[in-house]
Amino acid sequence: MARAERDRTADNPAFRATLAQLDTSARQLTETQRWHLRYLHAWQQDFSGDIAGAQRALREIIAKAPDPLIRFRARTTLLNTLALTRHYENAYRELDLLMREMPQVRDVTARFQALGEAAQLMTAAGQYDLSIRYVDQMLAQLPPGEGACRARVHSEHARFRRGGLDASDPGLAEVIRLCGAEGQPLFANYLRGDVAAMLIAEGDAAGAIALLREHLPEVERSGYRRQMAQFKALLAQALLARQQWAAARDSALEAVTDGRGDGISEPLAIAYRVLYAVAHEAGDDASALAWYQKYSEAERAHLDDASAQAQAYQGVHLRLAERRREAEALASRNRILQLQQSLDRKAMQAGGLLIALLLTLLASVAFLAVRLKRSQRRFMKLARHDGLTGIFNRQHFVERAQAILAAAAATHEPACLIVFDLDHFKQINDAHGHLVGDRVLRRTVDVCARQLRTGDIFGRLGGEEFAMLLPGSCVEDIVVRAEALRVAIASAGGDRDLRDVRVSASLGVAGTRDAGHDLRQLMADADDAMYRAKRAGRNRVVVARPVCDEPESA
């Protein structure tokens, strides 16, 4: 049993062999050990992609296992499967149950596992600070024989998703080395996938290809299909950037095969987009159209999924907070009634004390209500706004943009989308440090905010990429505003420390006249135009599907 627990993530083939050995001697195990073995089999079903089978087994363990520790561990793994199958409200409710049971759990390994699942779930919901807070709890009490690798991988992944990291960040390399030293290749490769994605975004496709190819055999040996799909999709994307068409197509097809069980995952959207680009390059219009439709469906599902995670977290969190507030208020009212009954027996001699205590308790109830309201407002702001710049985060931008476009479609009003990316931002971080890079991002947001009009929305999509949705305007009008925005970014001043930092942006513009009122199509068109602006030399505006003979760039 101990060897199986040790090998679960460090050497999954050895773990499967150990399970087979345990199965042959199951009759010699105690009842608790047999339930433990059933739990390990359920965990392996989750790992290998049989999510439905894992959920059935885990629910039976939670309902019937006599050992509360095994039930707790089964609930922890069930939480993971619920998140993977997009049952987010159920996942957050299970998380609330886990956190309430945590003080009674003395097994530090089980606590460590539960906190790890909580950290991953918070990252998926965009609650990066909460995720890192859970990681801090993991590091504060490591189980015997457990290093810091797994916990620190969760914090580095949260930092990657929050944006502002680059592939050369020393913290990433340090944690990858740490995981290698601790014999945890699965977690090291988890971060290598993030590094590869950053290398591709920074234009170093060759570096991403070398990294992914070096470690792909190790990932395939693990049998972890979600990681296999991620590596192959990123490899296909990097090969496409190097115009290695056949190799990109083969890798993308393998990613689709590995990722089909995770139907709306990000790797699947990447793979479909690569297949569309390869078919388009080859002049195979029928295949290109078929792949683009699959890409559009997967990308839309991925964006909707990100929004659903954030909304589910907000909904469950607020409902649980409301229930706790109601329970506190009810408890306060009960205390008041009990006090009244007690003091009534003492009649007038305690009249003054009764009034004072009643007023004190009523004030406490009012204070609790006010504090909860403030907490709710603070939470809503954190859930909707980017922590660094203060503008909408990706999830809330997508949610607001979809609502605005739906209203515009109903009244046949036009709208335009501008997507832009700061040029050579990695070089700014390398030359001046991440603190200066963060100040550049905030300065850029301040400059852009001054260009907004009533009704426009502005959000950070991630890293140094931003988007503006401008309702009520056609492309011809927005090109002029986009050019003014480009000039404002390039000519922005700053304090003494930023005077030598030169910033420019590449902007892509798309409108509903050509793309319709579908946000995913607008984003795809604007994103494509932005990359054409970068290929044309950067610091310019390019219009998707221009309708006039006027130049695309300004």
Side-chain angles (χ1 to χ4, degrees):
M1 286 292 187
R3 186 168 72 248
E5 289 285 359
R6 183 195 65 212
D7 290 340
R8 275 197 301 169
T9 56
D11 188 351
N12 192 254
F15 170 70
R16 295 196 299 272
T18 303
L19 286 188
Q21 288 181 332
L22 288 168
D23 287 338
T24 62
S25 57
R27 291 183 179 179
Q28 302 172 29
L29 302 178
T30 66
E31 183 183 17
T32 298
Q33 288 173 331
R34 285 196 294 272
W35 280 104
H36 188 177
L37 180 58
R38 292 180 68 173
Y39 164 71
L40 293 175
H41 275 294
W43 183 92
Q44 178 60 32
Q45 286 179 286
D46 174 31
F47 183 87
S48 60
D50 181 11
I51 307 300
Q55 287 184 345
R56 286 193 299 272
L58 291 166
R59 291 185 191 281
E60 184 177 4
I61 293 167
I62 293 169
K64 299 180 180 179
D67 186 345
L69 178 60
I70 292 176
R71 295 198 302 269
F72 180 83
R73 296 186 66 188
R75 191 183 298 280
T76 299
T77 305
L78 178 63
L79 168 65
N80 176 269
T81 69
L82 289 170
L84 290 173
T85 52
R86 282 84 193 174
H87 294 93
Y88 296 119
E89 290 208 5
N90 291 337
Y92 292 124
R93 280 193 286 268
E94 290 292 335
L95 177 60
D96 182 66
L97 289 173
L98 278 177
M99 292 301 106
R100 283 199 246 169
E101 292 176 7
M102 185 82 75
Q104 284 75 48
V105 175
R106 295 289 176 259
D107 187 287
V108 291
T109 300
R111 293 167 62 91
F112 184 85
Q113 182 185 357
L115 289 168
E117 294 296 345
Q120 292 184 80
L121 193 60
M122 290 302 99
T123 296
Q127 302 300 313
Y128 307 116
D129 291 339
L130 277 175
S131 176
I132 293 171
R133 200 175 304 161
Y134 283 128
V135 170
D136 290 340
Q137 294 181 48
M138 296 172 72
L139 292 171
Q141 192 176 9
L142 291 171
E146 179 73 49
C149 159
R150 289 199 276 186
R152 293 196 59 191
V153 164
H154 295 320
S155 64
E156 292 304 308
H157 183 64
R159 291 175 63 218
F160 162 68
R161 285 296 184 184
R162 183 167 57 188
L165 279 184
D166 58 53
S168 62
D169 187 277
L172 291 168
E174 178 192 349
V175 177
I176 289 173
R177 284 194 300 271
L178 178 65
C179 290
E182 293 180 11
Q184 293 288 352
L186 181 75
F187 287 88
N189 287 325
Y190 190 73
L191 274 193
R192 288 188 182 108
D194 291 346
V195 172
M198 286 184 277
L199 286 171
I200 295 169
E202 294 163 11
D204 187 5
I209 292 169
L211 177 66
L212 292 165
R213 280 181 168 165
E214 179 184 357
H215 296 282
L216 182 56
E218 186 177 60
V219 171
E220 289 180 320
R221 283 194 300 273
S222 76
Y224 190 26
R225 298 182 70 84
R226 287 190 288 276
Q227 197 170 82
M228 290 160 60
Q230 180 200 26
F231 263 54
K232 291 172 183 177
L234 290 171
L235 180 58
Q237 187 179 16
L239 290 166
L240 179 69
R242 301 282 292 179
Q243 298 185 350
Q244 297 181 29
W245 310 105
R249 178 180 180 277
D250 292 344
S251 188
L253 287 172
E254 291 182 21
V256 169
T257 300
D258 291 330
R260 276 203 179 107
D262 194 18
I264 58 174
S265 69
E266 190 174 9
L268 205 58
I270 294 171
Y272 284 141
R273 184 167 185 173
V274 170
L275 291 167
Y276 154 72
V278 172
H280 180 72
E281 175 66 21
D284 186 352
D285 292 339
S287 295
L289 178 60
W291 287 123
Y292 188 81
Q293 287 174 338
K294 288 181 177 293
Y295 158 68
S296 297
E297 292 168 2
E299 177 68 8
R300 180 173 185 175
H302 176 60
L303 292 174
D304 290 347
D305 185 52
S307 179
Q309 292 180 61
Q311 290 177 3
Y313 175 77
Q314 293 170 19
V316 172
H317 184 86
L318 290 176
R319 282 197 295 274
L320 291 173
E322 180 66 19
R323 287 175 191 167
R324 292 190 187 110
R325 186 193 67 79
E326 290 174 355
E328 289 174 353
L330 180 60
S332 294
R333 287 196 294 270
N334 288 336
R335 286 196 298 270
I336 291 172
L337 290 173
Q338 291 169 4
L339 184 60
Q340 272 185 308
Q341 292 169 1
S342 174
L343 292 177
D344 282 344
R345 290 192 294 266
K346 298 184 179 181
M348 295 300 295
Q349 64 181 14
L353 178 61
L354 170 62
I355 294 173
L357 289 174
L358 285 174
L359 289 174
T360 300
L361 286 169
L362 289 172
S364 298
V365 173
F367 174 74
L368 285 171
V370 170
R371 188 173 64 178
L372 176 62
K373 191 66 176 178
R374 288 177 179 172
S375 297
Q376 289 174 339
R377 289 174 180 168
R378 184 166 61 253
F379 162 74
M380 293 299 290
K381 182 176 180 181
L382 288 172
R384 294 176 175 178
H385 292 77
D386 175 58
L388 176 65
T389 62
I391 60 175
F392 288 162
N393 59 25
R394 181 187 184 97
Q395 291 94 336
H396 192 56
F397 177 84
V398 167
E399 180 184 343
R400 287 289 305 277
Q402 287 174 332
I404 290 172
L405 287 170
T411 58
H412 305 289
E413 291 291 322
C416 287
L417 181 71
I418 299 175
V419 173
F420 68 92
D421 187 275
L422 299 187
D423 299 326
H424 303 298
F425 186 71
K426 180 179 182 298
Q427 296 177 10
I428 294 174
N429 278 333
D430 290 343
H432 302 280
H434 292 287
L435 289 178
V436 171
D438 289 348
R439 290 168 63 190
V440 166
L441 291 174
R442 286 193 289 266
R443 182 182 70 179
T444 300
V445 166
D446 291 341
V447 169
C448 295
R450 291 196 288 269
Q451 304 287 327
L452 296 176
R453 298 177 182 174
T454 302
D456 299 343
I457 62 171
F458 184 25
R460 183 183 180 193
L461 301 183
E464 64 272 20
E465 187 175 357
F466 300 86
M468 290 182 176
L469 182 68
L470 314 168
S473 302
C474 61
V475 170
E476 289 79 5
D477 297 331
I478 295 305
V479 168
V480 177
R481 289 184 63 188
E483 175 60 18
L485 183 64
R486 181 195 67 80
V487 171
I489 293 172
S491 59
D495 56 32
R496 183 174 59 188
D497 294 339
L498 296 182
R499 286 176 184 170
D500 297 331
V501 181
R502 300 301 175 195
V503 180
S504 65
S506 300
L507 295 86
V509 179
T512 54
R513 177 170 54 192
D514 298 305
H517 291 77
D518 182 8
L519 177 61
R520 63 173 168 71
Q521 188 61 59
L522 273 172
M523 292 187 77
D525 286 357
D527 190 62
D528 182 69
M530 180 187 73
Y531 280 103
R532 283 194 282 132
K534 286 190 175 293
R535 290 195 294 270
R538 295 182 170 84
N539 192 21
R540 63 194 62 224
V541 178
V542 170
V543 181
R545 311 184 194 181
V547 295
C548 304
D549 294 331
E550 61 188 27
E552 286 188 346
S553 60

